[in-house]
């Protein structure tokens, strides 16, 4: 609860008054289904106990001011300015400090939901338990907490899917990161007892109990501390390769292809584009298989699917790094049932599904491998599915 305390403290420093409330939203891990969301495919994430908190209060003017414990200065603009600031031109940096484009972008996206735009100004102070740059969706947690605060203060009466869509607009159009909708949906639809199976084309969801606890299993997160960012570089290139591949196949998105299309794909495109396409097509199938196995026989059966997902990201999609591969290999060698990198890649975290009695042994083994390789010490912890946005105070 330190981040809740920090958000209140920062709010007091900023305004000399009490907030109207404090709202929070969780980060996420993705069990399986990577780089499938922007291909209109399937994902199976769950919200984690780590949360971001937004202490907020109405103002009696039309200004919005955001402050964060990880930024030196607050940023303040008028609500009307939001429409001139955003959308950020494609390929350029936002006209405000990047961290502030997340909360301000959410305010901009939510304002667009009301035709008369008669919203009042707000002060918002943000603090977070979600490690930044670890592939655990610290940005979706910020978006979810701010969206929950503004939705209530502005009496918008909106559902979790609309909250998620506002977060995604902030990410895509205010920050300029070309991400899909998985992280925001995972955060706003979080449940304490289940993962969220999401069809990213229809936005239909189904809660899938992981069954980890009853099966005596724990999900370990191994944060490699290799920071990543998705607004530039490799993430965008992967997305472009997928779009190119779908175009060559003559389909709207890779969601419309199956493994039966792979021979045709191989003949139509260069080797690199083909391997990107093969990752997405096979990963969609692995998500469906994981859901089927969890429902039919429980979590012990999903290990090989996690392992195959990692191999596909390492070899075909080429988004893993040495630290992630070392974490996965060491966890498996020490007895994990399955392991894979989670999130967008190029750094961040791996997950490992481990018997409860083996947690310490697997963590020790991973730490030892990191020391021997000369890597920065990883941050290792367990996570359980957790609830979505809520009002804490
Ligand atoms: C990041 C993005 C998501 C998704 C994943 C990869 O987390 O924000 O939209 O594309 O990478 O699965």
């Amino acid at each position: 609860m330190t981040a809740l305390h920090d958000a209140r403290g920062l709010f007091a420093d900023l305004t000399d008054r009490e907030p109207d409330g404090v709202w929070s939203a969780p980060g996420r891990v993705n069990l399986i289904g990577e780089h499938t969301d922007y291909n209109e495919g399937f994902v199976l994430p769950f919200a984690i106990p780590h949360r971001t908190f937004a202490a907020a209060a109405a103002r009696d003017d039309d200004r919005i001011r955001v402050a964060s414990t990880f930024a030196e200065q607050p940023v303040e603009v008028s609500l009307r300015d939001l429409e001139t600031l955003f959308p950020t031109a494609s390929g350029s940096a936002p006209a405000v400090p990047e961290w502030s484009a997340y909360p301000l972008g959410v305010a901009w996206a939510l304002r667009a939901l009301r035709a008369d735009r008669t919203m009042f100004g707000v002060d918002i102070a943000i603090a977070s338990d979600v490690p930044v740059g670890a592939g655990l969706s610290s940005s979706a947690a910020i978006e979810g907490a701010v969206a929950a605060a503004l939705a209530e203060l502005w009496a918008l009466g909106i559902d979790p899917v609309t909250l998620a869509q506002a977060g995604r607009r902030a990410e895509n159009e205010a920050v300029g990161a070309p991400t899909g909708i998985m992280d925001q949906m995972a955060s706003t639809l979080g449940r304490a007892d289940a993962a969220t199976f999401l069809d990213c084309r229809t936005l239909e969801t189904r809660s899938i109990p992981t069954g980890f606890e009853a099966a005596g299993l724990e999900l370990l997160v191994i944060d490699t501390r290799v920071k990543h960012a998705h607004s530039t570089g490799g993430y965008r290139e992967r997305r472009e390769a997928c779009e190119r591949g779908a175009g060559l196949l003559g389909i709207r998105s890779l969601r419309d292809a199956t493994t039966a299309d792979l021979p045709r794909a191989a003949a139509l495109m260069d080797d690199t584009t083909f391997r990107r396409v093969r990752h997405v097509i096979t990963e969609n199938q692995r998500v469906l298989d994981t859901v089927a196995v969890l429902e039919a026989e429980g979590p012990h059966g999903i290990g090989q699917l996690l392992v195959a997902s990692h191999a596909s990201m390492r070899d075909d999609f080429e988004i893993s790094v040495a630290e992630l591969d070392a974490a996965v290999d060491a966890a498996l060698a020490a007895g994990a049932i399955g392991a894979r990198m989670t999130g967008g890649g190029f750094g961040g975290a791996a997950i490992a599904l481990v018997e409860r009695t083996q947690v310490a042994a697997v963590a020790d083994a991973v730490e030892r491998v990191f020391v021997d390789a000369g890597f920065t010490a990883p941050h290792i912890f367990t996570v359980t599915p957790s609830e979505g946005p809520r009002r804490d105070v």
Side-chain angles (χ1 to χ4, degrees), residues 84-381:
T84 56
L85 285 170
F86 307 129
T88 299
S90 164
S92 36
V96 288
E98 191 183 79
W99 71 268
S100 71
Y102 293 91
L104 293 176
V106 167
W108 165 72
L110 288 177
R111 238 166 93 76
L113 295 177
R114 202 146 85 189
D116 61 11
R117 305 215 170 148
T118 52
M119 281 92 163
F120 44 75
V122 183
D123 283 321
I124 305 174
I126 298 164
S128 185
D129 291 329
V130 186
V132 173
L136 301 174
S137 294
S138 56
S139 55
I142 294 175
E143 290 150 8
V146 169
L150 291 176
E152 187 171 335
L153 289 171
W154 287 344
L156 296 175
I158 53 179
D159 57 274
V161 174
T162 310
L163 281 186
Q165 286 169 321
R168 185 195 181 179
R169 274 199 86 187
E171 188 112 10
N172 291 171
E173 297 176 54
V175 179
T179 53
I181 200 164
M182 167 172 71
D183 303 345
Q184 292 77 15
M185 290 287 279
S187 180
T188 66
L189 288 152
R191 289 175 52 144
D193 55 355
T196 300
F197 172 52
L198 166 66
D199 178 335
C200 298
R201 170 169 280 171
T202 63
L203 297 190
E204 279 164 356
T205 59
R206 190 146 56 92
S207 285
I208 308 292
T210 61
F212 294 161
E213 199 186 340
L217 297 176
E218 296 277 0
L219 194 75
L220 269 188
V221 172
I222 304 161
D223 174 6
T224 64
R225 317 269 292 276
V226 180
K227 300 275 185 235
H228 72 118
H230 295 321
S231 43
T232 50
Y235 187 98
R236 189 181 294 273
E237 277 169 31
R238 296 306 182 279
R239 187 170 177 149
E240 285 163 3
C242 292
E243 283 159 9
R244 193 164 59 242
L248 289 167
L249 282 164
I251 52 180
R252 172 173 139 173
S253 73
L254 293 180
R255 155 67 178 274
D256 296 312
T258 67
T259 48
D261 294 302
L262 287 173
R264 191 164 70 90
L268 278 171
M269 50 196 83
D270 64 89
D271 178 60
T272 302
T273 309
F274 170 65
R275 287 184 293 111
R276 307 298 187 248
V277 164
R278 181 165 63 186
H279 165 71
V280 174
I281 292 176
T282 57
E283 184 79 348
N284 273 328
Q285 188 58 50
R286 282 186 289 271
V287 177
L288 298 175
D289 292 347
T290 301
V291 169
V293 171
L294 282 174
E295 290 188 323
E297 55 181 277
H300 273 100
I302 69 170
Q304 283 316 307
L305 291 161
L306 303 184
V307 172
S309 170
H310 186 77
S312 179
M313 290 187 284
R314 184 191 58 212
D315 302 336
D316 274 357
F317 221 58
E318 295 181 287
I319 54 172
S320 190
V321 295
E323 288 84 346
L324 288 167
D325 293 340
V328 166
D329 292 345
L332 292 171
I337 289 173
R340 60 185 284 279
M341 51 149 281
T342 189
F346 306 102
I351 54 173
L353 188 60
V354 177
E355 300 283 355
R356 191 170 299 134
T357 51
Q358 298 274 87
V359 166
V362 170
D364 286 351
V366 172
E367 277 164 3
R368 234 175 304 118
V369 164
F370 272 54
V371 169
D372 291 349
F375 297 151
T376 303
H379 180 204
I380 304 180
F381 48 93

